[in-house]
Amino acid sequence: MITVIDGRVADPDAGLPLLARYGHFTAMQVRDRRTRGLDLHLTRLTAATRELFDVELDTELVLDSIRAALGTDLTDVSVRVYVMEADDGPHVFVSTRPPVDVATEPRSVKPVAYQRFLPRIKHLGGFPQAYHGRLVDAGGYDEGLLTTPDGLISEGLITNLGCFDGTAVIWPDLPMLHGITMQLMERALESAGIPQERRPIRVPDLRSYEAVFLTNSHGVVMVGRLEEDTLKLDDAFATRLLGLYDDVPWDTI
C-alpha cells in the first residue's frame, strides 16, 4: 500500500489508520511518565476489544506501545491509545500530543440535541461530535451537553456531567460513556462519604443545582454558565471536589 501525505510518500504503515474505521480508544494525560486511573484505562480497552472484536487484548502490548511512544524524552504529554481493525485484524496504535491542563475558570455550556451511537464504547467515528463541537465553539461556548429530543442530558460532547444538590452528587440516568475521570471521582466521592445518585437531568434542572461540573481526561472543572444564564456555584463544594481530584494518585506507566 502506498500512502501520500501532502505530496510526500509516507511510510507504508502510515496508511493503516486510513483503513481502520472500526475500533475504539482511550485518552489520558501523562505527567512525569505517570497517569491517573491506569487500571481503568486498561479495563476499558480490554472490555471494548472483547465486545467489538471478540478477542482478548494484550495489555502488555498496550503498555509497551505507550512506553515506545514516550521514548526517552517525553514525560508530560497527552496520549491516545487506539485499538483499530485493519485488513489483518485489530492493531494497537498510540499517538501523542502536547499536554493539556484542565481549565481553571468555570466553563460555559450549550445543549445539543444528539445522542451517541453505542455510548458505552469510546469508539471511532467522532464526526458528529466534532461537527457539533465546532458549532458550540463558534457560538462562544466551551462545551456542548448532549440531550434527547425532549431535553434529557446524557453527557457532554467530550465530558461527563455531574451536579450537586446540596447533599449528593447527581449523575445523569441515561446511557453514556462511563468516563475514566468520572470513575475516579466516583471512587473519591465514595471514600469521602459524599452520596451519589443517578437521576434524570433536564436542561432547565441545571439552574436549580448548587453546583454543576464536568469531567474528562483533562480533569474536573466547574460550570458557570448555561447558554446566557449564570449557574449557582457552591464555592465550598467546588473546593472540596477539586481537592478530591487533586488527591487522586498517579500510576507509573
Side-chain angles (χ1 to χ4, degrees):
M1 181 174 64
I2 297 175
T3 302
V4 177
I5 302 174
D6 292 336
R8 175 179 55 84
V9 177
D11 184 280
D13 284 347
L16 284 175
L18 300 176
L19 303 176
R21 294 178 174 86
Y22 184 78
H24 61 92
F25 71 101
T26 196
M28 64 185 74
Q29 292 296 314
V30 174
R31 301 293 183 271
D32 194 26
R33 305 178 74 86
R34 299 176 301 158
T35 192
R36 288 180 165 111
L38 182 60
D39 62 323
L40 298 176
H41 285 287
L42 295 176
T43 297
R44 162 189 277 175
L45 292 170
T46 298
T49 297
R50 188 179 297 132
E51 179 169 352
L52 297 184
F53 300 108
D54 195 27
V55 298
E56 292 301 311
L57 178 67
D58 183 347
T59 55
E60 284 304 315
L61 174 61
V62 171
L63 293 172
D64 287 344
S65 298
I66 297 173
R67 293 168 187 143
L70 295 176
T72 59
D73 56 341
L74 290 181
T75 57
D76 297 352
V77 69
S78 301
V79 168
R80 286 193 175 194
V81 180
Y82 300 85
V83 181
M84 302 190 292
E85 185 176 57
D87 288 342
D88 57 346
H91 290 260
V92 174
F93 297 79
V94 175
S95 67
T96 64
R97 301 178 183 179
V100 179
D101 292 320
V102 69
T104 57
E105 295 297 321
R107 302 288 83 187
S108 59
V109 297
K110 179 179 177 60
V112 174
Y114 173 72
Q115 295 289 284
R116 293 192 310 113
F117 173 75
L118 202 64
R120 66 180 177 274
I121 301 289
K122 195 174 179 71
H123 52 71
L124 305 182
F127 177 86
Q129 288 161 269
Y131 174 78
H132 287 300
R134 284 175 174 267
L135 294 180
V136 166
D137 182 68
Y141 303 96
D142 298 306
E143 171 66 319
L145 299 180
L146 303 184
T147 74
T148 61
D150 59 350
L152 280 171
I153 301 170
S154 56
E155 57 190 328
L157 286 165
I158 59 168
T159 59
N160 287 113
L161 173 80
C163 303
F164 180 62
D165 68 358
T167 301
V169 167
I170 313 302
W171 305 101
D173 188 21
L174 276 183
M176 68 175 84
L177 180 70
H178 197 191
I180 301 300
T181 302
M182 176 181 173
Q183 294 180 61
L184 291 172
M185 292 312 299
E186 286 175 324
R187 288 178 176 177
L189 290 164
E190 182 178 6
S191 295
I194 299 175
Q196 302 174 73
E197 300 177 24
R198 292 288 184 96
R199 292 183 201 161
I201 301 176
R202 296 184 181 275
V203 172
D205 297 340
L206 298 183
R207 301 181 180 92
S208 67
Y209 283 106
E210 298 303 313
V212 179
F213 61 94
L214 303 171
T215 69
N216 68 0
S217 63
H218 302 165
V220 179
V221 65
M222 309 309 295
V223 177
R225 182 162 59 92
L226 169 64
E227 295 188 285
E228 303 311 313
D229 294 340
T230 300
L231 299 181
K232 290 186 282 187
L233 180 54
D234 184 320
D235 289 334
F237 171 76
T239 298
R240 189 175 187 191
L241 181 75
L242 298 178
L244 288 173
Y245 178 71
D246 287 342
D247 290 340
V248 172
W250 293 79
D251 305 316
T252 300
I253 297 173

